[in-house]
Amino acid sequence: MPASEETGSGPVIHDHRRIDPVTGQVRGKHAASKPAGTTGAGRPADASGPAEPEDSKDSEDDMEAQEADVEVLEGILEEPAAAGGPAADAEARLAERTADLQRLQAEYANYRKRVDRDRAAVREQAVASTLAGLLPVLDAIDQAREHGELSGGFKSVADSLQAALGRLGLVVYGEKGDPFDPKIHEALTHAYSPDVAEDTCVEILQPGYKVGDRILRAARVAVAEPATGPDGASNEATWPSDEEGN
């Protein structure tokens, strides 16, 4: 064995392994060519203890560099989350879509209510128009009944017709003695009477008809007004005697 390969009394063994068996780290470029058990080329290790591999410093530097890279990557990943990351964006989009759905549901509910209301109004208008066209027929039936001409099969037809119209919501109103109401009564005649204390329908000339709150025809009545006012004075008009002679 050449002298350059020997130190002292024994041979020098070179360790060419790339992985340090002690630290488990990758050795430096020149560390693999150093002899095993030495701190430098051709010099034995200190007998007082194992020599610290020269590439341990390199491995520590590599570890510090890796830790620095990890910190930089963590900072890059944490920065979007702090400024509003994917989770925050997803929550914002979810809240926006939820608000849109709630607004759409409210609009649809209002649309349904409006359609139902319009449908009911159209139906009521159609029924009212049909019933208004049948009022002359009902007047003819009432006149025939008053004169005793409503009998036999004609009476059965008239009763069936009035029952059918009642099921459609037609209501007949107007009775003798009802207080006069200009909203639902039409006064055809007027007189004074000591027998009433307020304006009163003393005769029903034609009954009134309504559907719900809609008046199809006001009741046509004769109205009697009290003969004296609250102070006892007469409500009847008086004419001067000279005008009566003329």
Side-chain angles (χ1 to χ4, degrees):
M1 186 175 292
S4 61
E5 299 266 332
E6 299 177 357
T7 59
S9 60
V12 177
I13 300 174
H14 292 275
D15 188 357
H16 295 282
R17 290 176 293 182
R18 294 288 297 168
I19 305 299
D20 193 297
V22 178
T23 62
Q25 302 292 330
V26 179
R27 290 177 174 177
K29 182 177 181 180
H30 303 288
S33 64
K34 294 181 181 180
T38 62
T39 58
R43 292 192 300 274
D46 190 359
S48 61
E52 181 181 357
E54 185 177 342
D55 60 341
S56 63
K57 183 176 180 180
D58 296 337
S59 64
E60 291 178 357
D61 293 340
D62 294 339
M63 292 178 65
E64 292 178 357
Q66 292 178 0
E67 293 177 355
D69 293 340
V70 170
E71 292 179 356
V72 171
L73 291 174
E74 290 178 352
I76 294 175
L77 294 175
E78 291 176 357
E79 182 177 357
D89 293 341
E91 291 180 358
R93 289 195 297 270
L94 177 60
E96 182 179 359
R97 298 298 184 272
T98 302
D100 292 341
L101 289 176
Q102 291 175 347
R103 181 170 56 255
L104 182 61
Q105 184 178 8
E107 291 177 355
Y108 179 70
N110 293 333
Y111 167 76
R112 286 286 303 273
K113 292 179 181 178
R114 185 170 60 254
V115 168
D116 293 341
R117 184 172 59 251
D118 294 344
R119 186 178 299 168
V122 170
R123 179 183 180 279
E124 183 179 351
Q125 179 65 35
V127 171
S129 299
T130 302
L131 295 179
L134 293 174
L135 294 185
V137 178
L138 297 178
D139 291 337
I141 293 174
D142 290 338
Q143 292 177 0
R145 182 179 289 109
E146 290 177 359
H147 292 83
E149 298 176 357
L150 191 62
S151 60
F154 181 62
K155 182 178 183 302
S156 299
V157 173
D159 293 341
S160 299
L161 176 61
Q162 290 178 332
L165 297 180
R167 287 192 295 270
L168 291 176
L170 183 65
V171 176
V172 184
Y173 71 91
E175 297 290 339
K176 184 177 180 180
D178 290 344
F180 176 74
D181 185 353
K183 295 180 181 179
I184 61 175
H185 295 132
E186 180 182 356
L188 298 184
T189 63
H190 177 270
Y192 295 95
S193 174
D195 299 330
V196 297
E198 60 179 349
D199 293 352
T200 306
C201 300
V202 294
E203 187 177 356
I204 306 299
L205 303 178
Q206 279 186 330
Y209 294 96
K210 64 179 181 179
V211 177
D213 296 332
R214 183 192 297 268
I215 302 297
L216 299 182
R217 187 182 70 186
R220 297 170 180 174
V221 299
V223 180
E225 186 179 349
T228 58
D231 56 354
S234 175
N235 289 330
E236 298 182 9
T238 58
W239 303 94
S241 57
D242 54 349
E243 293 183 1
E244 289 179 358
N246 294 331

